[in-house]
Amino acid sequence: MAGIKRHLMLWGTGKPGAELSATGSATVVLENPDHLSTLLGSDLVGPHSVVFAPGHTPDAGIPDGPVVAGYEGSLSEPGLECSLGTDFYLQIQNYGVSAYMSVVGPTLIRVADDMDRDAYLADADQARQEGTFPDFLTNPVIQLADLPALGAGPAGDGPRCRLYADQDGVLSTTPGGARLGVLGEDTLEQLDTRWLLDAAADGGPAAERPWLGRYLAAVSAIRDLRARGLVADVRVSGFGGRLNAAAASVPADAAADTTDALLPLLLWSGEDAFVHDPASGRTFGLDPVAAGLAEVLLVAGSVEAGASYADRAGLEQVAAYFEDAGVTLRSAELVTAGH
């Protein structure tokens, strides 16, 4: 069941993580159970796919076929609930109402219309300017749906990762997503080609706010700390301020930590400080001195640039510590640019 739930949440959020194979999409959700036989007879699924079908009880022996898991309720309609068996219930909510709703268990929040989108962007703008993140959004049982469409970027998404077939068999990656084809008429290669063209043409909200991917990484980092019960009132460097004066003295237009969603984040609460690595999901606790040096490295972009703002030997020591741990406190964008 743990693997099934993981596939479901990866499908809902659009996060990379499901193992891809040469055949079939990693996870497929059907809205109509009558479409199951058509799906199983297509190249949209393979031996390693997981299929969610309403009310379906898996047959004991589909030779070399995908795992088929039944669900009750809805995975697409905000305000409804989806259940897997009797021990896992997933609430579906609109973003705009979520701040006013009580959280009773695992919840997937959808940005389903223009009002939701405006509320989401207003919250992101406030976090960037003032450092205040929505409390409901950083709750450990909350997940945002369809992160690639919210600024996380298309990496790891697409029909080879996830598919959704509505009541009429129209295919997209997610409810409300762009139409890619029709079940029984289109191959996975055709869907993939159309998705790549759509992804290249649609800049999404990140076209105007290139830092949204980093905002979503910060939300995830705070959620991770809250899940561990480590801290409250968490601040994130670059969102409404900096931890120390040395990092704050780096000119804003020279800051290297503004847009790269995979660059580690510096977080703090009171005297507690942490570096969170979005790529691996690991979090490191730091003392105040090391945290200040790590922040300078992140903001300046390198030991060389950071030496103008902090002790070079200390910067080298902190950089080496994280390099040994497999974490680079340097933006991939700067490395690609040759800096």
Side-chain angles (χ1 to χ4, degrees):
M1 177 59 77
I4 297 296
K5 289 190 289 186
R6 179 173 177 271
H7 267 266
L8 181 62
M9 296 312 296
L10 290 173
W11 174 86
T13 62
K15 289 180 180 179
E19 293 183 5
L20 305 184
S21 66
T23 57
S25 179
T27 311
V28 183
V29 168
L30 295 178
E31 198 72 46
N32 188 337
D34 295 338
H35 291 152
L36 181 58
S37 60
T38 302
L39 176 67
L40 295 178
S42 74
D43 78 335
L44 304 183
V45 293
H48 303 292
S49 301
V50 174
V51 176
F52 292 91
H56 178 79
T57 300
D59 295 321
I62 302 175
D64 299 324
V67 172
V68 181
Y71 72 89
E72 300 291 339
S74 175
L75 282 163
S76 60
E77 290 294 325
L80 299 183
E81 178 183 78
C82 164
S83 63
L84 300 180
T86 59
D87 65 347
F88 181 75
Y89 296 86
L90 180 67
Q91 305 288 325
I92 313 295
Q93 288 184 2
N94 271 40
Y95 189 98
V97 303
S98 293
Y100 313 102
M101 303 290 287
S102 298
V103 178
V104 297
T107 303
L108 188 67
I109 294 178
R110 293 195 178 282
V111 175
D113 55 30
D114 288 343
M115 290 183 64
D116 286 341
R117 184 179 185 275
D118 290 345
Y120 163 70
L121 293 176
D123 285 343
D125 287 340
Q126 180 172 312
R128 180 167 173 79
Q129 295 163 10
E130 302 175 15
T132 303
F133 290 78
D135 184 70
F136 77 91
L137 197 56
T138 60
N139 189 310
V141 301
I142 293 287
Q143 291 288 336
L144 262 177
D146 307 323
L147 293 172
L150 300 180
D157 198 21
R160 295 187 182 276
C161 297
R162 57 177 183 155
L163 280 172
Y164 169 75
D166 70 9
Q167 284 286 351
D168 298 321
V170 175
L171 294 164
S172 57
T173 55
T174 178
R179 176 187 173 120
L180 297 177
V182 178
L183 186 62
E185 298 180 11
D186 296 282
T187 66
L188 184 58
E189 183 176 357
Q190 290 172 318
L191 302 182
D192 199 38
T193 298
R194 291 168 192 154
W195 177 82
L196 288 170
L197 290 173
D198 288 344
D202 181 15
E208 295 182 358
R209 295 171 174 82
W211 46 266
L212 276 175
R214 191 140 181 88
Y215 165 72
L216 292 169
V219 167
S220 181
I222 298 173
R223 189 185 295 136
D224 179 71
L225 288 178
R226 289 185 61 180
R228 302 183 191 193
L230 294 177
V231 290
D233 301 321
V234 183
R235 298 292 307 277
V236 184
S237 180
F239 291 85
R242 300 292 186 185
L243 171 62
N244 69 73
S249 65
V250 179
D253 59 359
D257 66 337
T258 56
T259 61
D260 187 350
L262 293 180
L263 182 69
L265 298 128
L266 191 287
L267 305 94
W268 75 93
S269 176
E271 295 298 315
D272 299 317
F274 307 87
V275 163
H276 177 82
D277 177 31
S280 65
R282 290 185 295 168
T283 299
F284 302 80
L286 300 176
D287 64 48
V289 174
L293 293 166
E295 186 180 34
V296 169
L297 285 168
L298 290 167
V299 179
S302 67
V303 170
E304 291 73 17
S308 299
Y309 307 96
D311 175 62
R312 184 184 186 96
L315 294 172
E316 290 176 342
Q317 185 176 0
V318 170
Y321 168 79
F322 281 101
E323 290 286 353
D324 289 343
V327 176
T328 301
L329 303 185
R330 186 179 183 189
S331 173
E333 297 168 0
L334 291 178
V335 173
T336 302
H339 294 295

